[in-house]
Structures are given as C-alpha cells and as structure tokens.
Amino acid sequence: MFDTLLIANRGEIACRVMRSARALGLRTVAVYSEADAGAQHVAEADMAVSIGGAAPSESYLKGERIIEAALATGAGAIHPGYGFLSENPEFVEAVEAAGLIFVGPSARAIRAMGLKDAAKRLMDEAGVPVVPGYLGEDQDPARLAREAEAIGYPVLIKAVAGGGGKGMRLVESAADFATALEGAKAEARGAFGNEAVLIEKFITAPRHIEVQVFGDGDKAVHLFERDCSLQRRHQKVIEEAPAPGMGEQMRAAMGAAAVRAAEAIGYKGAGTVEFIVDGSEGLRPDGFWFMEMNTRLQVEHPVTEAITGVDLVEWQLRVAGGEPLPLAQEELSITGHAFEARLYAEDVPAGFLPATGRLSHLEFPPSLRSDSGVRSGDVISPHYDPMIAKLIVHGPSRAAALRKLAQGLRQTRVAGTVTNLSFLGALAEHPGFAAGEVDTGLIGRDLEALVAEPELAAQVVAEAALVLAGLDGASGWESGFTLWAPLARTLLLRHEGEDLACVLRAKGPDLVEIDVPGATVLAERFGGRWRFGGRPAAGHFREDGHVTVFAHYGLRFELIDPLARAADAGAGGNLVEAPMPGKVVAVFAEAGAQVTAGDRLALLEAMKMEHTLRASRDGTVAEVLVEAGAQVEAGAALIRLEEEDA
C-alpha cells in the first residue's frame, strides 16, 4: 500500500476521500486553484499544492500539473474523485507512465464505456439488455429521421459523448425531429466537441435505477441498486437505496447484468452501471435496459455505503494498493433504507438558476450525514458546480428514512445565498414520493406545487422585525426611553419583493407587541428565549441589514430605509442584465432591431450551464453593450431597449 495519496479534485468529494484515506493511515495531498486557496479541502489535507488559475481548464483539468504535484510531494497514488479528469483515459496513462497508481479503472476500461453507442454494442455482445435504438455511425439527418420513425415515437436523441443531460432531446413526433436534432447536435458540439448522437426508444414511465459494482480487474461484485429517478432536466435531485418495489428476482437479474458488464471490460475499482427501467407495470426482470456505465465513484455513493456498511473509498484504496476484493458477493447484504439529497446554491423560483455568493451561515443537524466541501463564510464560486452538500440519512425502513430526511432538511440552516433547500423539503414531504411514485417525470408533473412559496406566518415576520430592530439581545435595551410615553418603533421590511410595515411597542423588558400586516403578535421572553404568539422562536442569522429566519427552510428579510425606496425603481425594464457572473457566449441582438417579448437576446455561460437571456417586452434595441466572449459580472448591463412611448 502507498503511504501518500493525492486527491485530484476539490470540494466535498476531496474532503470525502481524505476522510477514508486518513482512516487507513495515509497522508493526504490536496491540489487547489487560485479560487480555492482558502477552501476546506486545502485546510484538511496534510499538504497542499497550487496548480493554477480559477478556471478548471487552468487548474483541475491540467493533468501534467497534478502529476508534478504528486511527484513533488512523494504521493504514490492519485484519486480522481468524480468529474474533472476522473474518466479521462489519457490522464490515467500519464499517471501510470509517471510510475504512480491511478485509483480507478484502466484507460482501456474507461475508453470502452466512454462513448454511449460503442458501450451499448459492447454490452449487447456481453449479454446485457440494451434499449432498442440506433447506434450507427451514419449521422445524416435523413438517416437519423428514418431510424427514429422505425423505432417509433417518442424517442430520445442523445449525444454519444454526453453526460449531465447535455445534448439530449425528447422528441414526441416526426414533425419535431429536425429541430430537436439540430439543438442536440449544437449542444453536444459545444459541451463535448463531438456532435454525434444516438437515438433510442423513450420509455414512457421511466425509472432510473443503477447498480453499484466493484471489481479487481478480473472478477466483480455488485453492491445492489440505487434509484435515481427523482430528476429535473436529467439531473439527479434525491437518490435512494434500495429501489422501491424491487423484488429479489429482478434485483438478482440486474445485479448479474451489471457484473457481466464490469467483467466484460476487466473493471477495477468502483463503478456504476445505469439502467433505464419501465415502471409502468411494476418492476419486472424483462423490463430493464443498459443505459451507460460511469467508470468512477458516483456522487450518490453514500446511500450504498449506508445500506451495506461498506466504505467504498476505502475499498478503492485497498484494491488500488494490490489487495483482493474485500468481500465476496454472498457476504454482501442490505440493511434498512437510505436517501441522499443534493443541496445546491440555486434560485428555484428563477428556474433553478445556479447562484453564487457567500455562505454567511451553514449548519446541519446531527441526524444527517453531511458530505460538504464548504463552511460558514465560504464563497460559492461561479467557476465550479454550486453544490453545497450532500445530505444522507439511513433508517430501518423507507418510510422511517424518508421521515428522517424531511426532519433533517427542516433543521438544516443556510443563510447568505439562495438554495434549493425548500424544494428538497417539498420533495421529501411529497405524498406521491412517500408512496413510492418515483418515475423521472414526477418533478415535472408537480413542479408548480413543489416550488410554491409558503404562506408567510405572522410569527415569522414578527421575529424578523424584533431582530432587525435590535431588540432580541439582553435585557436593558428599553432604557433611555421616556417612561411616560409608549415605547414604539416603526420598521419597514422587505421579503421577496413585498414591503411589510411593522410597528413594535415595548410593554416591558421581556414583552413586545408587534403589529405586522394583518395581525398583532405578542413577543415574550422566558428564560432568555423568545416566543412569538406562544410559539418558540424559529432562530435566525443576522447580517448587514438582513436577517434569515429559520422557518420554512429559511426566509430572508431586509430592513428598508423608507427614504431610499425611490432609488429601487431601476431601469424600468429597458436593460437586460447578467443574472450572475459568466461569459457571454453569443449576442443575437443588434442596434435598431425590433424584438418581441421572449425573443433571445444573448447567451450567457455560467456555473457550467448556458442561460438564454430574453426580451421582457416588445421594443427596439437601442444599444448592444457587450460582445461575444466577454466576461461579465452579475448585474452588468448587456443590452438596452429604447424607452417605451408614454
């Protein structure tokens, strides 16, 4: 076994790998970009090496710099985590050529599964069921249209080099095929440098079930399945293990197919074989098909660890160090049920737009396993994926584990940036999900209810007003007021664009009457703790004229100066501004052009995603203020429309 491990990654997965490495007595080496100099994974490592600029292309994707760092620090092995270089066969070969151990599969195995079309042909030959479709090299649009017609609509167009939902289009009818194909090819070309696509039958009640496999380069075992059906735009949101409704016969069939897939390519280390499953008539052994294989550790691996008691990263390190598979198939079993929810910095009401900003407060309850790579005070950078943490629970049954997840999400406290926490909470308490309805269309069907804003309780507004008035501290705040006059103060708060006028009247050192819109709330302090309308305070975090009250997963209020309200009128809808820092990929407007509401004006690339900026109204373009290729900050003016006629 090597004694020093370099982790060629950042964030939560780097911290996660270090935890298992330290448990095995290994020294750990972190690498970091300029943006990550103060990051948690850097602080936790025994040694850390700077490898370049903030952009991944200047740091975490620079394989030669990572190898140099490993050699300079005496590391004997490199763990790639997931993403970045984890599935890059050229990097694997370079690591091994330098005399180092790559903690993962061989370059040959990665290449075998790297392109979806070639992988499906290989799996078909290995006896693994594959979805009916077209995997041919002829990419002529007319040929592809004929193949789609032969397969039968609806069909999926998928980039052969795809991942993360990029280069993927669902096509319901022949009339939509040409437009969808053009869009999929363009997206694939931009994301992967490869516009080739495959076409496969779309399963109308699909479930995404994957099997965790582990090999030693010769033999493999499976560690059962995970259900990843709860998705939004092909991105996983909540994962669980085992899969709801899974019978032993189908589990055995899927596990055997996954092991055949792994052994067919001489797989070494942890990997995941993903299957698409027809859930329209329940789970059955003839209703699953190979989708793809991820030749790395998966983001959702903790749920498998929770139900099997296996530390998958420890297994990776031990097998990479030359040890045999730690357990045989018959020694592996399932205990209980587990869920993982992905907490992201993203603006859900704005269409799940990735967000940036400083995490002024971050706190998880002890009932959750929280795998995170950020801390209170850290900044969510526009250069990387905006994941804050993975929140994992385990219970004796699915129902018990889901209740534990819902409770843990309610007790999670985040302030300083917008997150998807309330969305995750709504999912965890969704009655259909609780009943086992876990097809990939659930979020889309119920999106309106899942993102609905909660009714603002009077007690919550009262707590925000008390805190922003500075009256939540120790007794004695009331001194200095005239004793014969009512102690009153008027505040103007703002929440989600709505102004809330509040009046606070002191009745004593531990008693305040608070008028909020539509109600009067009595705030009382007992034993140093406040109660509002008889209910305990939800708790809060205050910062710079704002307070986040930890009710309904966190509600943010701003203290408004009434004299400054007029300054908030803005530009009256004439300016199109960048919603976040990013790169302007394309500009579709030009001065003098007539546009209508909804027209595309510009394309912004940020947080590893592309965002289309559209006209909010009909009008004439007065001025284009930016060029394609420019880096812009949040709020930067990009395009100005002419003033509307009075």
Side-chain angles (χ1 to χ4, degrees):
M1 171 70 80
F2 41 86
D3 61 13
T4 303
L5 176 72
L6 182 142
I7 299 93
N9 217 297
R10 64 176 303 279
E12 68 86 12
I13 188 58
C15 296
R16 162 72 189 93
V17 172
M18 286 180 196
R19 188 165 66 242
S20 291
R22 284 195 299 269
L24 290 174
L26 303 178
R27 292 190 305 158
T28 58
V29 180
V31 292
Y32 62 93
S33 69
E34 291 174 359
D36 278 341
Q40 182 175 343
H41 76 281
V42 176
E44 291 188 359
D46 295 306
M47 293 175 281
V49 180
S50 174
I51 54 171
S57 60
E58 299 173 359
S59 49
Y60 297 108
L61 291 175
K62 287 286 188 182
E64 67 277 9
R65 293 184 188 172
I66 292 170
I67 292 171
E68 288 171 3
L71 295 172
T73 55
I78 294 178
H79 193 301
Y82 54 72
F84 295 135
L85 294 170
S86 62
E87 294 179 281
N88 185 311
E90 288 76 23
F91 179 62
V92 177
E93 290 169 340
V95 169
E96 293 174 345
L100 303 171
I101 295 171
F102 180 78
V103 183
S106 66
R108 183 182 68 83
I110 293 174
R111 286 195 176 98
M113 291 296 179
L115 295 177
K116 289 184 174 68
D117 53 349
K120 288 187 176 182
R121 283 192 289 268
L122 179 62
M123 292 299 97
D124 193 29
E125 294 169 3
V128 179
V130 298
V131 179
Y134 173 71
L135 311 174
E137 296 181 4
D138 185 352
Q139 293 288 304
D140 180 70
R143 171 65 184 276
L144 295 173
R146 289 196 301 272
E147 293 292 343
E149 196 75 44
I151 295 166
Y153 289 96
V155 299
L156 270 180
I157 301 173
K158 299 171 71 173
V160 300
K166 294 185 183 297
M168 184 182 295
R169 295 291 188 279
L170 169 61
V171 190
E172 302 279 0
S173 67
D176 302 325
F177 185 81
T179 301
L181 177 64
E182 181 182 353
K185 281 181 170 288
E187 193 168 88
R189 191 165 53 245
F192 313 114
N194 182 349
E195 69 172 17
V197 299
L198 59 85
I199 302 170
E200 64 183 30
K201 180 68 177 174
F202 178 72
I203 310 302
T204 54
R207 287 179 60 178
H208 181 149
I209 299 178
E210 60 190 31
V211 177
Q212 176 71 58
V213 293
F214 204 100
D216 62 5
D218 181 26
K219 295 296 183 182
V221 295
H222 71 84
L223 290 91
F224 313 106
E225 80 282 352
R226 299 185 288 259
D227 196 308
C228 304
S229 300
L230 215 56
Q231 299 183 8
R232 182 191 61 79
R233 297 177 187 168
H234 309 291
Q235 297 277 5
K236 300 168 187 175
V237 179
I238 293 181
E239 301 95 358
E240 62 181 301
M246 177 67 71
E248 287 304 319
Q249 187 179 6
M250 183 169 178
R251 175 172 290 130
M254 289 187 76
V259 168
R260 285 198 300 275
E263 292 182 346
I265 58 172
Y267 196 79
K268 183 177 182 179
T272 300
V273 182
E274 301 192 6
F275 295 98
I276 191 76
V277 179
D278 182 1
S280 60
E281 299 177 9
L283 302 184
R284 58 189 192 279
D286 62 347
F288 71 91
W289 302 274
F290 173 85
M291 190 161 57
E292 61 184 329
M293 183 174 184
N294 292 301
T295 50
R296 53 171 167 76
L297 194 67
Q298 286 281 92
V299 177
E300 58 271 25
H301 75 273
V303 292
T304 294
E305 295 182 323
I307 65 167
T308 61
V310 167
D311 183 329
L312 286 169
V313 175
E314 178 190 326
W315 275 31
Q316 285 185 299
L317 298 174
R318 290 171 60 185
V319 169
E323 295 184 28
L325 285 173
L327 294 176
Q329 189 66 61
E330 59 272 16
E331 296 176 288
L332 293 163
S333 61
I334 296 174
T335 301
H337 204 96
F339 286 94
E340 174 183 294
R342 302 186 186 190
L343 179 63
Y344 278 95
E346 61 182 9
D347 191 341
V348 173
F352 296 87
L353 199 64
T356 57
R358 190 171 69 88
L359 282 168
S360 50
H361 183 79
L362 183 63
E363 181 182 355
F364 303 112
S367 59
L368 293 173
R369 167 181 164 180
S370 54
D371 284 11
S372 181
V374 292
R375 305 147 297 184
S376 293
D378 285 351
V379 173
I380 303 298
S381 166
H383 299 290
Y384 314 114
D385 186 273
M387 182 188 288
I388 295 172
K390 303 183 316 193
L391 307 177
I392 306 104
V393 296
H394 180 255
S397 66
R398 185 176 190 270
L402 190 55
R403 286 194 299 271
K404 195 172 179 181
L405 177 65
Q407 180 190 59
L409 291 170
R410 287 193 298 270
Q411 295 173 346
T412 294
R413 296 183 166 190
V414 190
T417 186
V418 296
T419 74
N420 67 337
L421 182 59
S422 64
F423 175 68
L424 294 175
L427 280 171
E429 300 190 41
H430 186 283
F433 184 52
E437 297 172 13
V438 288
D439 67 272
T440 57
L442 183 146
I443 289 177
R445 289 193 303 272
D446 292 349
L447 185 59
E448 185 175 346
L450 291 168
V451 301
E453 290 290 326
E455 183 176 344
L456 197 56
Q459 291 89 346
V460 174
V461 181
E463 183 172 350
L466 187 83
V467 173
L468 287 172
L471 307 185
D472 61 313
S475 296
W477 56 267
E478 75 282 3
S479 62
F481 288 84
T482 53
L483 299 180
W484 56 86
L487 304 182
R489 181 176 175 186
T490 300
L491 294 182
L492 183 65
L493 311 186
R494 182 170 295 161
H495 170 71
E496 299 293 338
E498 180 183 359
D499 288 351
L500 306 166
C502 305
V503 179
L504 299 89
R505 288 182 293 274
K507 301 293 186 179
D510 298 306
L511 190 65
V512 182
E513 190 176 74
I514 306 173
D515 290 341
V516 301
T520 297
V521 178
L522 194 64
E524 303 171 276
R525 179 161 48 189
F526 299 96
R529 298 190 177 188
W530 285 97
R531 297 176 68 85
F532 296 86
R535 298 180 185 176
H540 67 273
F541 182 85
R542 180 179 178 176
E543 180 182 45
D544 299 332
H546 296 82
V547 65
T548 298
V549 178
F550 297 122
H552 300 295
Y553 307 100
L555 299 174
R556 183 176 169 90
F557 297 84
E558 178 185 2
L559 180 61
I560 300 299
D561 177 358
L563 299 178
R565 294 176 67 187
D568 292 336
N574 296 325
L575 282 179
V576 177
E577 300 175 340
M580 65 177 66
K583 178 182 178 182
V584 178
V585 177
V587 178
F588 306 112
E590 58 183 31
Q594 296 292 320
V595 297
T596 58
D599 282 355
R600 292 195 309 165
L601 300 182
L603 190 64
L604 184 71
E605 183 182 82
M607 309 293 281
K608 306 198 313 189
M609 295 177 64
E610 290 186 347
H611 310 279
T612 301
L613 306 181
R614 302 183 183 274
S616 61
R617 62 172 175 84
D618 298 350
T620 302
V621 176
E623 191 177 7
V624 176
L625 304 169
V626 70
E627 296 181 352
Q631 291 284 343
V632 295
E633 294 298 318
L638 307 181
I639 293 166
R640 183 174 64 84
L641 301 183
E642 290 184 357
E643 296 284 346
E644 293 185 277
D645 294 334

